[in-house]
Amino acid sequence: MDPDVLRVGNCSGFYGDRAAAMREMLEDGALDVLTGDYLAELTMLILARDRMKDPATGYARTFLAQLDDCLSLALDRGVRLVANAGGVNPAGLVTAIEKMAARHGLTPRIALVRGDDLTARARDLGLGAPLGAHAYLGAFGIARALRAGADIVVTGRVTDAALTVGPAIARFGWDRTDLDALAGATVAGHVIECGTQATGGNYAFFTEITDPLRPGFPIAELHRDGSSVITKHPGTGGAVTVGTVTAQLVYEIGDARYAGPDVTARLDTVSLRQAGPDRVAVTGVRGEPPPPDLKVCRTAIGGYRNELTVVLTGLDIEAKAELFRRQFGAACPTEPAEVTWTLARLDTADAATEQQASALLTVVARDPDEARAGRAFTNAAVELALASYPGFFATTAPGGARPYGVCTAGFVAQPVVAHEVVLPDGTVEQVAAPAVTRPLEPLSGPDAPDAGPAGPARRLPLGTLAGARSGDKGGDANVGLWVRDAAAYPWLAALITEDTVRELLPEAADLPVRVTRLPNLLAVNVVIDGLLGAGVAYQARFDPQAKGLGEWLRARHVDIPESLLPDHLPAAPRPDDRELP
């Protein structure tokens, strides 16, 4: 392989991703480093609860299972493994790997990156008293471990991109002043961190992908100047295009400044170019000094939650829902601290099936006291089984309340965190905080441009021209939108404003909305503050992680200039073509 190119692959985008991915990535082509991202805010909560039950756990057990299958293969091929699978107990994972390797007669050199766990110091640091508090560490600890010869680097909570940036620092010898190179590697890491989302998975224009059944996992070919090529192993499914890379670039971001512990990458400087089949060049990324504070993921038990869904069929849906609400409220022995109702009008008139004639009414209870949200709450519905609206039935049997978690962000000064790396020989080294930082300031890009000259337009779904990808950051929802034709970008950038977002997504009507324009990517990013309540585990809405929010937005109808529409789109009907009553 070219010594001036570092090939970093990914085999996991979340805890529960494709189990065979590690073997596929090791067998299907050449790699220098294979990374795995197993942590999300919800995962940290899950792992913290695991460790409460068994102190020896708290790490991603799927990574250990993958290693059990593939460790010998990785060592034989000289591929080094970097993963944040340590979760809330990275030292425990190191111990488990050592035991597993010994059973196979293997002695891999393992390094541990630690210092992210601030739980014991949380109150003193002004972080409250959470179940867990974990700072997002940077990449320099990973780099030091690799330079010391580690075959496997286990971390706890580091930034997702650090898994890619660390190997690049180790290979190319960058220091903290190489901001543009660090920013370029950060962007590459952001692209591959979610696995197959960079190679056609969850892609708005999925019908255009020739082989979408089993997308290959992504690879970043990194260069000394921080530029990269995003690709995948030859012969694997999916696709790597400017579109698939753009979709991942605008996923779960805030504005044009993408901040991390080592560098703030300027997303408004990224340039993408199709460099061949399944190869996208990423160049031009500029970096700024990182912010002075580290983000901290705080997890806590928010209380207890229970829900019940009943089915309303046929006629008088609204009246049936109103009757059940009133009866249920009167039948509840005690009212929980929070009760929310949602009526999903999935019914259609003159439906051909019973399911198509039905709507769903859901009631959710939350309370710090398990009893107030427990079986007594859902039992109120059972008592109404023969006394409520016609056609009454529920989708599930009544059940008890379950604890729910909340994840919130905190911040601490970078020097407060004792970022350490335990090298394969047991030596412990400190990783110094950056000497130069810069307070993070919002950067929303240019103002909305002139949409261009007025002309004939058609009322069509936004997704006729625009792709979207959406997700969650704590309680906020992010939707990244982009077009593939530069001629359509002025229209998109002028269309997507705070007011338009609130009009197209009525749930956002009373919430703060932030819009960032990224003309270099032909993209617009939208953040809706508070749409997800206290985060994914809180389950504030039907889609608690906002994964489908972008597709809902794409399905909303807007005025699209006819001059921008593709030639293959059917022509609009003439007035005299309309059906007569």
Side-chain angles (χ1 to χ4, degrees), residues 204-205 462-463 465-469 480-484 492 550-551 554:
F205 303 107
L462 175 61
L465 294 185
R469 178 165 290 166
L481 296 154
W482 75 95
V483 291
R484 298 180 289 179
L492 178 70
E551 287 301 294
R554 291 183 71 231

Side-chain angles (χ1 to χ4, degrees), residues 55-396:
T57 64
Y59 52 80
R61 288 170 288 183
T62 52
F63 175 70
L64 187 63
Q66 289 173 308
L67 275 187
D68 193 31
D69 175 53
C70 298
L71 179 56
S72 179
L73 177 61
L75 294 174
D76 288 345
R77 299 206 169 190
V79 178
R80 301 160 96 178
L81 305 172
V82 180
N84 60 11
V88 302
N89 187 14
L93 178 57
V94 170
T95 299
I97 294 171
E98 290 172 339
K99 292 179 179 178
M100 177 272 296
R103 292 198 304 271
H104 291 282
L106 301 172
T107 55
R109 293 166 294 184
I110 307 172
L112 167 66
V113 174
R114 68 188 186 189
D116 63 294
D117 190 349
L118 306 178
T119 307
R121 304 165 56 200
R123 190 181 298 276
D124 292 339
L125 294 173
L127 299 171
L131 177 65
H134 294 264
Y136 287 76
L137 302 182
F140 279 87
I142 295 171
R144 181 66 190 95
L146 292 170
R147 285 199 297 267
D151 299 308
I152 304 170
V153 182
V154 171
T155 81
R157 179 73 275 185
V158 297
T159 65
D160 300 342
L163 303 173
T164 297
V165 180
I169 295 170
R171 168 64 69 88
F172 301 121
W174 299 335
D175 62 29
R176 291 196 179 275
T177 66
D178 293 308
L179 294 174
D180 291 347
L182 292 168
T186 296
V187 168
H190 176 55
V191 172
I192 72 169
E193 71 191 32
C194 288
T196 52
Q197 282 200 159
T199 60
N202 298 350
Y203 183 53
F205 303 107
F206 70 98
T207 58
E208 300 175 5
I209 295 177
T210 304
D211 181 13
L213 297 184
R214 193 177 177 87
F217 276 71
I219 298 167
E221 296 179 351
L222 288 146
H223 298 264
R224 189 172 298 276
D225 63 355
S227 63
S228 64
V229 172
I230 307 300
T231 185
K232 62 186 183 71
H233 285 318
T236 57
V240 180
T241 68
V242 168
T244 67
V245 172
T246 300
Q248 182 56 27
L249 266 179
V250 297
Y251 178 63
E252 293 185 347
I253 63 172
D255 60 20
R257 285 192 165 99
Y258 188 72
D262 304 315
V263 67
T264 295
R266 289 285 297 265
L267 299 181
D268 56 346
T269 64
V270 179
S271 177
L272 303 179
R273 175 179 58 84
Q274 197 73 41
D278 294 319
R279 294 181 64 82
V280 173
V282 183
T283 59
V285 187
R286 302 298 300 274
E288 298 174 344
D293 296 332
L294 290 180
K295 181 180 176 181
V296 178
C297 175
R298 298 180 295 182
T299 56
I301 300 299
Y304 293 87
R305 183 183 186 279
N306 203 350
E307 76 171 68
L308 179 81
T309 298
V310 295
V311 182
L312 316 171
T313 306
L315 305 177
D316 305 318
I317 295 294
E318 296 289 343
K320 290 173 179 175
E322 176 61 20
L323 173 61
F324 183 76
R325 286 193 192 101
R326 291 169 55 198
Q327 290 179 312
F328 188 85
C332 278
T334 58
E335 184 174 353
E338 181 182 344
V339 177
T340 58
W341 293 87
T342 304
L343 176 60
R345 293 298 304 263
L346 308 177
D347 53 301
T348 58
D350 194 21
T353 68
E354 181 181 345
Q355 188 174 25
Q356 292 172 331
S358 299
L360 301 177
L361 178 63
T362 299
V363 59
V364 176
R366 295 183 184 86
D367 199 284
D369 182 351
E370 181 178 5
R372 293 177 67 89
R375 188 62 183 263
F377 174 77
T378 49
N379 275 351
V382 176
E383 297 176 4
L384 297 172
L386 302 180
S388 191
Y389 60 86
F392 173 95
F393 71 98
T395 58
T396 58

Side-chain angles (χ1 to χ4, degrees), residues 13-32:
F14 68 100
Y15 188 20
D17 210 341
R18 189 190 306 170
M22 182 179 287
R23 177 165 288 276
E24 291 171 7
M25 290 298 286
L26 290 170
E27 290 184 336
D28 289 349
L31 290 174
D32 296 301

Side-chain angles (χ1 to χ4, degrees), residues 61 138 341 441 516 532:
R61 288 170 288 183
W341 293 87
E441 296 180 356
T516 298
L532 307 180

